[in-house]
Amino acid sequence: SAVISQKPSRDICQRGTSLTIQCQVDSQVTMMFWYRQQPGQSLTLIATANQGSEATYESGFVIDKFPISRPNLTFSTLTVSNMSPEDSSIYLCSVVKGVRTEAFFGQGTRLTVV
Amino acid sequence: DAKTTQPPSMDCAEGRAANLPCNHSTISGNEYVYWYRQIHSQGPQYIIHGLKNNETNEMASLIITEDRKSSTLILPHATLRDTAVYYCIADHHGSGNTGKLIFGQGTTLQVKP
């Protein structure tokens, strides 16, 4: 298994500002991902966080808006930049430890932009 | 990744078996069927996965049809704590796949006393 700690758990931010979300795993993992869950919706994959290189973004998500870092095998950050109320969502970190193994999720960061 | 189709909502009486169906008619030979659930205000939780054989663990059973075009997740004795959104995902964990998950809308299971 994997225990994931996400910080902060929730925040209320002013529009135009940026927020960095941290994801810390208790063991080394192969893959790390970031998801967004808009109110009342399912999860949407934002990007794959690659260790030591640029993240791989899904269609509709760009690095300037959601810069991601992954300096090692246990830690990653997601920044939500120049926020607007439309960015109000839950952001979740997920990890996979190996091939054909399940994904583990953090508890999420509930972001409200006012 | 194959698209999956699930009913938007289901009810189940507490103590009874909950049978959640999933259609994945375009699934390919190397794609597994995964089930996750998301209890309100929590991150998704892995339940079970399988390729073509039926699977059982401490949480649930997974029944996959012989043609692999559909499956059923069975919670044998549903409790109120099983109330959640259940996601069926077809995913291949082989060469070239990174383990990322494409979530559909899922089935909201309401377990009633």
Side-chain angles (χ1 to χ4, degrees):
Chain A
S1 66
V3 177
I4 301 171
S5 174
Q6 261 189 255
K7 293 180 180 179
S9 58
R10 59 178 61 229
D11 207 342
I12 301 174
C13 300
Q14 297 291 323
R15 67 176 66 199
T17 63
S18 298
L19 176 71
T20 295
I21 302 167
Q22 298 180 358
C23 177
Q24 178 73 56
V25 193
D26 67 339
S27 57
Q28 293 184 348
V29 295
T30 306
M31 307 301 300
M32 296 183 77
F33 306 92
W34 287 97
Y35 291 81
R36 179 177 73 181
Q37 187 169 28
Q38 295 176 299
Q41 300 298 313
S42 181
L43 284 77
T44 301
L45 180 66
I46 298 173
T48 303
N50 300 310
Q51 187 208 354
S53 65
E54 189 172 293
T56 304
Y57 290 85
E58 297 298 308
S59 175
F61 297 95
V62 296
I63 187 171
D64 289 347
K65 177 66 176 178
F66 298 102
I68 289 170
S69 77
R70 186 181 175 191
N72 56 50
L73 294 176
T74 63
F75 185 77
S76 177
T77 66
L78 168 73
T79 299
V80 185
S81 303
N82 188 23
M83 289 183 286
S84 67
E86 291 71 33
D87 294 319
S88 297
S89 297
I90 299 173
Y91 293 86
L92 298 111
C93 171
S94 173
V95 304
V96 174
K97 301 191 78 171
V99 175
R100 294 196 180 91
T101 62
E102 67 268 34
F104 299 92
F105 287 81
Q107 291 302 298
T109 296
R110 184 179 295 272
L111 171 63
T112 302
V113 183
V114 297
Chain B
D1 294 338
K3 178 178 173 60
T4 61
T5 304
Q6 300 176 252
S9 64
M10 293 182 63
D11 290 342
C12 178
E14 188 178 20
R16 303 296 295 270
N19 297 279
L20 292 90
C22 179
N23 182 287
H24 33 80
S25 58
T26 61
I27 197 169
S28 64
N30 64 349
E31 286 185 310
Y32 286 70
V33 179
Y34 284 78
W35 284 83
Y36 288 79
R37 73 180 182 183
Q38 186 175 27
I39 296 171
H40 184 61
S41 297
Q42 297 183 23
Q45 174 192 25
Y46 165 81
I47 301 174
I48 198 167
H49 74 283
L51 182 62
K52 55 184 178 181
N53 297 319
N54 298 337
E55 302 287 345
T56 295
N57 62 20
E58 65 279 4
M59 290 183 67
S61 294
L62 174 61
I63 309 298
I64 303 173
T65 59
E66 190 170 345
D67 63 8
R68 299 207 330 118
K69 293 185 176 182
S70 65
S71 61
T72 300
L73 177 74
I74 301 172
L75 307 178
H77 305 287
T79 71
L80 298 179
R81 289 174 293 181
D82 293 320
T83 293
V85 180
Y86 288 77
Y87 296 101
C88 168
I89 301 170
D91 180 43
H92 56 97
H93 256 200
S95 176
N97 179 268
T98 63
K100 62 185 183 182
L101 299 175
I102 307 301
F103 286 82
Q105 293 305 306
T107 295
T108 298
L109 174 68
Q110 181 72 49
V111 180
K112 298 185 174 181

